[in-house]
Amino acid sequence: MNYLIGIDVGTSAAKTVLFDDKGNTVASASWEYPMYQPHNGWAEQNPRDWAEAVLKTLGRVVAESKVSPESVKSIGLSGQMHGLVMLDEKGEPLRPSIIWCDQRTGEEVEDMLGIMPRERWIQITANPPLTGWTAAKILWVKKHEQEVYEQCRHILLPKDYIRYVLTGVFATEVSDASGMQLLDVPGRCWSEEILEKLNIPEEWLGKVYESCQVTGYLLPDVARAVGLTEKTCVVGGAGDNAAAAVGTGVVKDGTAFTTIGTSGVVFAHNSRVTIDPKGRVHTCCCAVPGAWHVMGVTQGAGLSLKWMKDNFCQDYGDKAEREEADVYDLINEDVEKIPAGSDRLIYLPYLMGERTPHLDPDCRGVFFGLSALHTRAHLLRAVMEGVSYSLCDCNEILTEMGVKVDAMMACGGGGKSPVWRQMLADLYRCPVQTLRQTEGPALGAAILAGVGWGIYESVEKACEKMISPEKTCMPKEENAAVYEQYHKLYKKLYQSLKEDYKELARL
């Protein structure tokens, strides 16, 4: 039997999964690493932490599986998008990576709009300049850390730094590169016009591949260290959302998924380029050659619930440890007892600013309607509902753009919650499905690896063989009617607070 590996470089941990060629998980390992926030709105990670985590987990799954090294044919990479990794001429990181949720680049976004009109940015990159995306981060380093910028010879995304560690190759692929604001998204290549305007050398960026193309092979030292052979290839892979799409079978028109990880995403496949002229949702190349996807992003999705758990729910963790239970299962039990609408309590999930639909780095989280009758369970449910309202905003924009969705899949950590899935089904007013396979981006990366090696003829055929549905959550009309009213007020609250957020940011 042939085996494939998917590696997902997430925000909180790296996860490596070994699959057989039918999509069954053979071995899995993860390794956590920290995120640093030196200032309010900043977010950084050490690329060497990612490399250590990947090498440890890669070696572990190979050892635990006891499969022959020669039978592991190919590796696919997935990872958090938009992160800036700057390397010197020796390939060493020059500074910590500025990651996707960092919001320091407001001035640089304005600079980009001064260099080229917003409409032209959208024409070329399918998106307006954004604080979380890579181009603005490059300009920030150029402006504030000139010595670092002058030493830079290579710019990579997080998963592509791992590619370099594994293969020695400087490269990326179209789905992740789409989130850099440097790619001609309709043309699926670097934009000469943008690189010239920003004065960024194209040779810093590496070659752009399709997601299922082979980009290199394991270095001899790496292969020996992890128990594999130099014949194991590494394919392009995909950004985490594009990989999750493959891992959930969202590879043809009419299919979409919602993921609730640290951030939240509503993602729909499209065989043609569809661009929102208002720039509220993002259009990127997807992992299927010759196709694109449209996605809306909620910055603080699972992050909101984790923030609540870590800061105000320590006893849930203690109880989970005593009972050998999952802490989120205990939270779900309490949340399920609270009615839809959380007894007139609304949460705005803007802990790290917001992308869809507001594109506002200054907005911040709010509990609205808090009263003495509310318990901690109310606050927890309100957090989950607030994230769901934001994801519903994303879905409504896709509908407005004419992107028709017949099948919605749920994935990510939050997608495992039956309570959260019910909220989504009620707000979307459509069935929400889960899959038997739960590895999401790692499985998607492995599927791409299988296509690259030639085990499968196409991404679509591979998904048919490796992915199968499990559960379906149907909408409840009584909840949907309640949420419709609360969602209207939720949307109104941002407009009421918009100028106050700016004033707060100036204090």
Side-chain angles (χ1 to χ4, degrees), residues 26 32 64 69 109 113 137 147 150 159 187 200 203 208 271 278 327 336 371 376 381 387 421 460 470 493 500:
V26 178
E32 294 186 352
E64 289 180 359
V109 165
L113 291 170
K137 294 168 184 170
E147 185 177 337
E150 289 174 355
K159 81 168 194 322
I200 297 172
E203 59 267 24
V208 182
S271 56
K278 298 178 182 177
V327 64
E336 202 164 16
S371 75
R376 185 174 55 180
R381 184 175 184 102
V387 170
R421 291 200 305 271
E460 296 92 332
E470 185 181 41
L493 288 172
D500 296 321

Side-chain angles (χ1 to χ4, degrees), residues 121-128 133 178 185-188 253-254 266-286 290-296 394-405:
W121 284 105
I122 293 174
Q123 263 186 329
I124 299 173
T125 73
N127 299 279
W133 288 31
S178 295
V185 170
R188 304 171 88 87
D253 288 351
V266 179
F267 177 116
H269 181 92
N270 213 331
S271 56
R272 59 189 178 88
V273 184
T274 306
I275 298 173
D276 176 23
K278 298 178 182 177
R280 296 165 297 173
V281 294
H282 312 312
T283 296
C284 298
C285 304
C286 77
W292 289 262
H293 64 252
V294 185
M295 68 177 185
C394 300
N395 193 49
E396 288 180 351
I397 295 169
L398 298 187
T399 302
E400 179 188 319
M401 291 171 64
V403 179
K404 188 174 183 292
V405 176

Side-chain angles (χ1 to χ4, degrees), residues 5 63 122 192 244 287-288 318 321 330 336 353 413 433 474 488 497:
I5 290 176
I122 293 174
E192 293 182 7
V288 179
D318 296 339
E321 192 172 333
L330 299 178
E336 202 164 16
Q433 290 185 311
M474 302 299 294
K488 287 178 183 176
L497 291 169

Side-chain angles (χ1 to χ4, degrees), residues 15 19 23 31 70 73 124 141 173 178 187 190 205 271 273 347-348 409 417 439 449 491 500 507:
K15 187 172 188 179
F19 299 92
W31 190 275
E70 293 75 18
K73 301 300 185 184
I124 299 173
V141 173
E173 48 69 45
S178 295
W190 297 124
L205 303 177
S271 56
V273 184
Y347 170 73
L348 307 185
M409 310 302 299
S417 163
E439 298 296 353
K491 290 192 281 190
D500 296 321
L507 293 180

